[in-house]
Amino acid sequence: MDDGGRGKGEGGRVVPAKYQPALPLDRLILQDGAPGAGERMDLDVLIVGAGPAGLACAIELARLARKDGSELNIGVLEKAAALGEHSLSGAVVNPRAFRELFPEMKDTDFPFRERVGKEAVYLLTGDGRLRLPVPPTMHNTGHYVASLCEVVAWLGAQAEALGVNVFTGFPAASLLAAGKRVAGVRTAPSGLDREGKRLANSLAPTDLVAKVTALAEGTRGMLSQAYLEWQQVPSQNPQIFALGVKEIWETKRPLDSVVHTLGWPLPTDAFGGSFMYPLEPNLVALGLVVGLDYQDSELDVHGLFQRMKLHPLFRPYLEGGEMVEWGAKTIPEGGYYSVPARRSGDGVVILGDSAGFVDVPSLKGIHYAMQSGIFAARAIHAALAAGDPSSARLADYDRMVDESFIMKDLYRTRNMRLAFKDGFYAGGVKAGLMTLTGGRFPGGKIAMEADAAVARRVGAGRPFAPDGSLTFSKVDAVFKSGNATRDTIPTHLIVGKDVSADAAQFYAHMCPAGVYDVVDGTLRVNAPNCIDCKATDVLGPRWTAREGGSGPKYRRM
């Protein structure tokens, strides 16, 4: 890292893209048969990622095979040590995709917590609040509060009961290619020391090859990014992201409403809001979500969230209680214009958050992810039945998605999140007009730039001292995530060259897990702290897969 003065050469502003290394395609795309692997496994279908999209795909595919009497060897790879341990969402779930995937079940059979009854939306000031009408896009009548960890564990059990092979603790580190066809993946090695040398318990990577590979990696999917860049698949806008920080609290006071807020503690040039959901009479989930196109390099989402809990809206529910779990995750927010032009190719489909199927105005992504998995399964089953898993045949998946409520919903709200690039108040007015006109105003696409290309002003920062009771440091928070990554693991973060002092400070504020710090003017990276939120991959050092089981161990997120 250079020792340039604050703002030197940048006019008092930091542009993260200047310091972000390129995606390491040489490591992410390997030719099938490349040296370095140990065992090799052949499958009919390989699904990367045991989240809602991947598991819905596996379940629908297994059911279709059972229905027509065919035998399919389906494998699901998951980097977490156990199902759900890397899954985090708000979450208020629209049950629509569950009902389609399990038509024989009732809503009460699904792994949900509470049915949404009362709901409220507030505009916050520093010490006050104004109750607003619930926007039409945010109505949650008939939806359910849920823990995504529990949803994923339940879906995994359904998949395994149908004969699907679920392999936990195996991160996919590279795509295997045969020409331009995706042939499978290579997993990450395990048991390496900090310098990458083998320990006594080391395991070589495994190559898993399949006729079709479904990439359901979740937000900011590494292999999905690599495929889209390798095949030069465009989107009308670059994908943009938000960072969400969340806590689970055992409380003394019950919460009886789903609560969302706008305004404080965010500055007016940052997009985002908070939520507080009842999981049980004395168990509450709350969090803060902030768009990563914010313009203040000193903004710290974790710090803002800690301050937010002291507000009179939240504090009465938390006082006397205990924070029992903490986590963070990025969310794709670009919507309709950021979805790749195609999400299929020779031997491959891209599902869920990796494809950008999230509707920010309604705060929904889980049922879109599951529905995309259902469509992918139908396209894959038909392609394998025809003996033709080619790009032309798997394009049926794109057709099904494009003709479904997924893209219809995203199109209707296509500019609502994008309108806030001009600030909170102007964006609010524009979003209101878009709601009234069914998305027809302002007509054309609002152009966006990638989050890393946004210039950030350099400021003095605002120190925050946590009290350890209601508010917590990043170190304490990471402990509550259950992070069990060993300290001697090789670094999985690729840092750019000549990172300026201002950029290093930006990384330190941006990362909610305290991975980055500045010591004596030098960037220090504490990679084992990483909880795989992917904020670093959006705005700074690139994230790559590390040994299986590393990262958080969420239980109720």
Side-chain angles (χ1 to χ4, degrees):
M1 186 178 84
D2 69 33
D3 59 358
R6 297 192 66 78
K8 183 177 180 181
E10 296 182 276
R13 300 181 79 81
V14 175
V15 180
K18 178 178 178 181
Y19 306 100
Q20 186 170 48
L23 199 64
L25 289 184
D26 58 329
R27 290 169 51 177
L28 299 179
I29 309 288
L30 302 176
Q31 286 300 306
D32 185 19
E39 295 183 2
R40 183 180 176 93
M41 180 183 295
D42 287 279
L43 299 163
D44 292 309
V45 181
L46 171 64
I47 299 167
V48 180
L55 290 171
C57 181
I59 291 165
E60 178 73 357
L61 195 53
R63 285 186 161 188
L64 290 170
R66 180 174 289 187
K67 185 176 181 180
D68 70 4
S70 60
E71 291 188 10
L72 285 182
N73 191 357
I74 306 165
V76 180
L77 278 189
E78 170 54 42
K79 62 187 175 69
L83 288 177
E85 287 188 344
H86 287 185
S87 300
L88 184 154
S89 182
V92 173
V93 180
N94 181 332
R96 177 174 183 167
F98 278 89
R99 293 167 181 163
E100 181 163 347
L101 190 58
F102 303 103
E104 73 283 5
M105 294 188 185
K106 304 183 296 291
D107 284 4
T108 52
D109 296 325
F110 301 140
F112 302 146
R113 289 294 190 120
E114 301 277 348
R115 188 180 178 94
V116 175
K118 294 188 287 186
E119 51 188 327
V121 176
Y122 295 97
L123 175 65
L124 298 188
T125 62
D127 57 3
R129 63 183 183 265
L130 173 66
R131 185 160 183 172
L132 304 174
V134 178
T137 57
M138 293 174 67
H139 282 197
N140 285 296
T141 302
H143 298 165
Y144 294 87
V145 178
S147 156
L148 187 58
C149 296
E150 294 168 354
V151 166
V152 165
W154 185 87
L155 287 172
Q158 305 302 310
E160 290 179 319
L162 289 165
V164 173
N165 301 295
V166 179
F167 305 108
T168 56
F170 287 93
S174 308
L175 281 179
L176 297 176
K180 290 190 175 182
R181 180 178 67 85
V182 172
V185 304
R186 176 169 294 179
T187 65
S190 64
L192 304 181
D193 67 15
R194 194 165 288 158
E195 284 70 46
K197 297 178 181 177
R198 291 189 173 188
L199 300 172
N201 63 341
S202 66
L203 291 174
T206 298
D207 282 357
L208 296 100
V209 295
K211 297 168 185 173
V212 180
T213 300
L215 300 178
E217 304 167 279
T219 182
R220 195 71 176 176
M222 179 185 65
L223 300 185
S224 303
Q225 287 185 75
Y227 177 80
L228 294 171
E229 185 170 319
W230 171 43
Q231 293 296 311
Q232 298 181 322
V233 179
S235 57
Q236 296 186 61
N237 271 340
Q239 187 59 267
I240 60 174
F241 293 85
L243 173 62
V245 180
K246 178 183 176 182
E247 292 176 356
I248 304 290
W249 279 74
E250 292 179 351
T251 63
K252 303 293 186 183
R253 176 180 172 182
L255 174 69
D256 64 357
S257 297
V258 164
V259 175
H260 293 101
T261 80
L262 305 169
W264 188 91
L266 295 179
T268 57
D269 59 1
F271 176 82
S274 78
F275 62 88
M276 183 165 59
Y277 300 155
L279 295 173
E280 295 174 3
N282 294 99
L283 192 69
V284 168
L286 72 159
L288 178 69
V289 179
V290 182
L292 288 178
D293 54 353
Y294 61 81
Q295 297 179 25
D296 180 357
S297 72
E298 307 292 328
L299 188 147
D300 186 315
V301 177
H302 176 80
L304 288 179
F305 178 45
Q306 299 308 308
R307 287 189 178 92
M308 186 196 85
K309 292 184 294 179
L310 302 178
H311 189 277
L313 176 63
F314 301 102
R315 186 168 191 154
Y317 291 97
L318 307 181
E319 282 187 320
E322 180 186 2
M323 191 266 278
V324 294
E325 197 165 356
W326 174 95
K329 203 76 169 179
T330 51
I331 305 160
E333 286 200 335
Y336 179 83
Y337 292 118
S338 295
V339 172
R342 61 178 173 87
R343 289 77 61 191
S344 62
D346 286 326
V348 67
V349 289
I350 302 175
L351 318 180
D353 281 12
S354 289
F357 298 143
V358 173
D359 182 51
V360 173
S362 66
L363 309 176
K364 296 291 182 293
I366 293 171
H367 72 295
Y368 297 123
M370 290 181 63
Q371 192 68 52
S372 73
I374 293 169
F375 289 149
R378 293 170 183 171
I380 292 168
H381 181 260
L384 294 180
D388 179 23
S390 66
S391 177
R393 190 73 194 222
L394 290 172
D396 281 349
Y397 164 61
D398 285 325
R399 178 187 56 76
M400 283 187 268
V401 169
D402 290 345
E403 293 175 356
S404 76
F405 68 88
I406 297 176
M407 293 304 280
K408 286 181 172 64
D409 286 359
L410 295 188
Y411 183 75
R412 187 177 62 251
T413 62
R414 59 196 177 278
N415 276 315
M416 285 190 185
R417 162 62 179 94
L418 313 185
F420 286 86
K421 68 181 290 186
D422 297 324
F424 175 73
Y425 294 107
V429 171
K430 292 177 182 177
L433 291 171
M434 291 172 198
T435 300
L436 291 172
T437 62
R440 290 184 292 277
F441 173 88
K445 176 192 72 176
I446 295 178
M448 300 293 286
E449 56 187 345
D451 293 321
V454 175
R456 324 281 165 142
R457 60 182 176 274
V458 175
R462 184 182 173 191
F464 178 72
D467 60 25
S469 175
L470 287 178
T471 60
F472 303 93
S473 70
K474 292 182 179 181
V475 172
D476 290 338
V478 171
F479 176 76
K480 290 289 189 177
S481 76
N483 192 333
T485 308
R486 60 184 175 88
D487 291 338
T488 56
I489 199 169
T491 185
H492 64 297
L493 301 166
I494 304 173
V495 181
K497 297 179 180 179
D498 301 323
V499 176
S500 74
D502 284 334
Q505 290 285 359
F506 170 65
Y507 296 165
H509 288 288
M510 170 265 295
C511 176
V515 172
Y516 304 95
D517 200 5
V518 182
V519 179
D520 298 327
T522 301
L523 178 65
R524 183 175 65 184
V525 181
N526 182 21
N529 260 29
C530 181
I531 56 163
D532 297 354
C533 76
K534 308 288 187 70
T536 178
D537 194 66
V538 175
L539 294 174
R542 293 287 188 176
W543 182 94
T544 61
R546 50 187 170 167
E547 86 178 18
S550 299
K553 291 188 180 296
Y554 300 140
R555 294 289 183 261
R556 293 183 284 189
M557 279 291 172

